[in-house]
Amino acid sequence: MLAFIVRRLIQSVLVMLAVALVGFALFTYVGDPINNMVGQDTSIEDRERLREDLGLNDPFPVQFFRFVVNAAQADFGISYRHGRPVEDLLVERAPATLELSFAAGLFALFVGVPMGIYTALNRRSWLSKVFLTVSLIGVSLPTFLIGILLILVFSVWLGWLPSFGRGETVQFGWWSTGFLTWDGLTALIMPAITLGLFQMTLIMRLVRAEMLEVLRTDYIKFARARGLSARAVNFGHALKNTLVPVITITGLQLGSVIAFAIITETVFQWPGMGLLFIQAIEFVDIPVMAAYLVLVAFLFVLINLIVDLLYFAVDPRLRVGGGGGQGL
Amino acid sequence: MSDPLLSVRDLRVDFPTRRGVLTAVDGVSFDIHPGEILGVVGESGAGKSQTGAAVIGLLEPPGRIAAGDIHLEGQRIDRLSQEQLRKVRGRKIGAVFQDPLTSLNPLYTIGRQLTETIRTHLPLSEAEARDRAVQVLGEVGIPSPADRLDAYPHQFSGGMRQRVVIALALCVNPRLIIADEPTTALDVSIQAQITALLKRLCREHGTAVMLITHDMGVIAETADRVAVLYGGRLAEVGPVDDVVNRPLHPYTEGLMACIPTTHERPPRLAQIEGSMPSLTAMPPGCAFHPRCPHAFDRCAAERPPLFDHPPSAAACWLWAPEGARATERAAS
């Protein structure tokens, strides 16, 4: 187990280095940072001096090494546009994105899993067919369209929910939360649904497919033959076996929820990291872009690691030192 | 003889498909008496497993019992609701399936799976159920059962897992066990152990067994009586000694001739010419007549009923009572 974690950590470091290389390449090859800093009337000598002072004439590996060392200390430089350290901007924006992703993830999980179980157990019911058809729409409609439709219906026509922003937030140290005010919660509903809808339909279809697969296995047939109640068979034996692959996909999807929050945040003008990133692209704010890239990669690596560890908790076959049985 | 424990009459199992209805089991009747081991043999697709599944009420949809009735201890069980049937399954009829590697839920300890089954059917506390689980595991020959209770299925070998499966089938003392190819997936050396174990336990507990297999060797060693199925129909049923040594039905005869012996080695193994007809293309009359060396006109025209020829019975015109055969001779 320990050896496994160490191995995964080494792999994670390698992935992060590769991403850092891409992030660093942005600085080096997209435009000239000196041009972004100085005025048009700066002389060529001054530019060269600045270049030398900033270490931009150093060989590539030296510059990359410097970038990695700084990035490891969460130092991504100063935003061109905001004139403030990038890490401060990210820390300020992170709670909004994380809360939105968390709410979207909960929505996807707590609606998707029961719907998947229902459609697997009642394959022929009309409600299952409705769920499946609707889920097809959820998968095929683009996120921004769903967001705009929701705004049209619930904000413009019905006037029930706010169409943009986070509403009122409460500050806890550096963390600002929208969970504690009514205004913040109502503002969260539509963005969370928009962001989570695709994941929800994905989870539903995944749970359904896995559950149907598990229900066909011999041990489920044997559990029935032992006269266990339908509840014990479906929810005790089948569901637990279904959840093993669902955990992986859900975990990995959590990473993409955070990454794809960009579009939802743009539609709802949600003041999170995604909106920051979109604005950074518009202004070629490379430090912000690079930092966001590295941060998203870091989240993916972290989530992957957690998912792998969760496997150990669920599946006894993976726990080491369980005696000399035959592996499956 | 005592009243039968299980009585199956004219059982028909249909599978409605898009291309018409397939009849997997067609008019099969047999009895199992308390404590008796009935072997059910036949080739793959002969309807052995479907017969077993029908008895225990676990036919895979769209399969269904289309005709006939099944009585257990005088109670009709083929018309029970799922909930009522569930109380029969496990409590009165246990089951052992072919593959011990996939019969156990990999995510739960065997102790949990045992106590769960025991507590579903018997009013015992968790601690009492655990005691019983240890006792049953000991009976099926798991060494130091108390320590193995919290082990997961993957920590057992194939033979040991089949012992656990048998323990699960026997843990609440059912009256009947349906064992569907219980030794097929095991090594030959382990097969004999498991067969002997099953036989011994059923003798001790007075449990009857419906032993479904394609292995005549297992049947000859274990069973009291044999039912031979062919093309979803009963070809012959009788005491094991008679069926093996004095088969009535030409199919059984062919089947016995196919078992190689060690003292005389023929240059080629004997085989029955042709293959079993598929369910979609059942010949009219007797299902076996296209392959039968003794077939005559009537075999192709009319399906033979089961003719009693004590102690056995066979569904073959050769064994029709004199009157029927006389009319046949007169006709030809």
Side-chain angles (χ1 to χ4, degrees), chain B residues 52 59 71 80 91 104 118 133 139 146 155 158 167 172 180 184 212 219 252 277 291 297 303 309 325 329 331:
Chain B
L59 283 170
H71 286 83
L80 292 180
R91 184 71 192 90
L104 299 168
I118 294 167
E139 275 187 53
Q155 293 166 321
V172 292
D180 190 350
T184 309
I212 299 166
I219 295 279
T252 323
R291 300 168 73 188
D297 297 346
R303 187 176 155 187
H309 195 270
R325 231 191 286 190
R329 280 204 200 94

Side-chain angles (χ1 to χ4, degrees), chain B residues 110-189:
Chain B
I110 60 162
R112 204 208 119 136
Q113 301 189 44
L114 274 161
T115 51
E116 178 187 42
T117 314
I118 294 167
R119 295 195 67 194
T120 302
H121 297 291
L122 301 176
L124 294 181
S125 71
E126 187 65 34
E128 288 166 330
R130 266 183 88 86
D131 288 345
R132 195 185 173 102
V134 171
Q135 183 207 330
V136 180
L137 282 181
E139 275 187 53
V140 296
I142 303 274
S144 53
D147 304 331
R148 301 294 270 160
L149 214 51
D150 293 316
Y152 288 93
H154 70 273
Q155 293 166 321
F156 291 87
S157 68
M160 282 295 156
R161 271 191 244 188
Q162 195 65 310
R163 286 174 193 261
V164 174
V165 170
I166 291 173
L168 276 163
L170 276 171
C171 63
V172 292
N173 270 330
R175 301 299 316 279
L176 171 70
I177 285 192
I178 295 184
D180 190 350
E181 306 268 9
T183 58
T184 309
L186 300 174
D187 288 345
V188 180
S189 56

Side-chain angles (χ1 to χ4, degrees), chain B residues 10-32:
Chain B
D10 298 320
L11 178 70
R12 201 174 92 208
V13 174
D14 279 352
F15 280 80
T17 66
R18 276 191 197 151
R19 288 179 298 158
V21 175
L22 297 182
T23 302
V25 178
D26 193 357
V28 168
S29 306
F30 59 89
D31 288 338
I32 299 181

Side-chain angles (χ1 to χ4, degrees), chain A residues 20-35:
Chain A
L21 188 63
V22 175
F24 175 68
L26 279 178
F27 279 101
T28 322
Y29 301 113
V30 179
D32 181 357
I34 299 296
N35 274 341

Side-chain angles (χ1 to χ4, degrees), chain A residues 131-150:
Chain A
F131 282 166
L132 286 177
T133 316
V134 171
S135 79
L136 207 60
I137 298 171
V139 173
S140 28
L141 276 188
T143 313
F144 61 87
L145 194 63
I146 293 171
I148 288 168
L149 281 176
L150 284 177

Side-chain angles (χ1 to χ4, degrees), chain B residues 287-321:
Chain B
F288 187 61
H289 86 261
R291 300 168 73 188
C292 182
H294 310 293
F296 48 96
D297 297 346
R298 190 167 190 182
C299 300
E302 222 178 314
R303 187 176 155 187
L306 203 61
F307 294 113
D308 263 330
H309 195 270
S312 303
C316 175
W317 288 118
L318 290 174
W319 297 98

Side-chain angles (χ1 to χ4, degrees), chain A residues 218-219 221-222 224-230 232 236-237 240-241 244 314-317 319 322-323 325-326 328, chain B residues 56 58 60 86 89-90 93 95 97 102-108 113 116-117 120-121 152 154-155 161 165 168:
Chain A
D218 282 352
Y219 55 82
K221 201 172 139 197
F222 189 53
R224 288 213 183 99
R226 284 186 277 146
L228 301 184
S229 67
H237 287 264
K240 196 171 176 190
N241 280 283
V244 175
V314 176
D315 197 332
R317 283 169 293 188
R319 282 175 225 150
Q326 311 161 339
L328 277 180
Chain B
I56 202 168
L58 283 176
E60 299 274 335
R86 187 177 73 67
R89 281 203 293 260
I93 308 181
F97 293 138
T102 56
S103 289
L104 299 168
N105 189 331
L107 301 188
Y108 291 125
Q113 301 189 44
E116 178 187 42
T117 314
T120 302
H121 297 291
Y152 288 93
H154 70 273
Q155 293 166 321
R161 271 191 244 188
V165 170
L168 276 163

Side-chain angles (χ1 to χ4, degrees), chain B residues 187-206:
Chain B
D187 288 345
V188 180
S189 56
I190 310 224
Q191 280 183 4
Q193 287 178 19
I194 296 292
T195 316
L197 174 75
L198 198 61
K199 191 170 174 173
R200 177 173 63 79
L201 287 175
C202 292
R203 289 276 181 272
E204 284 171 13
H205 291 254

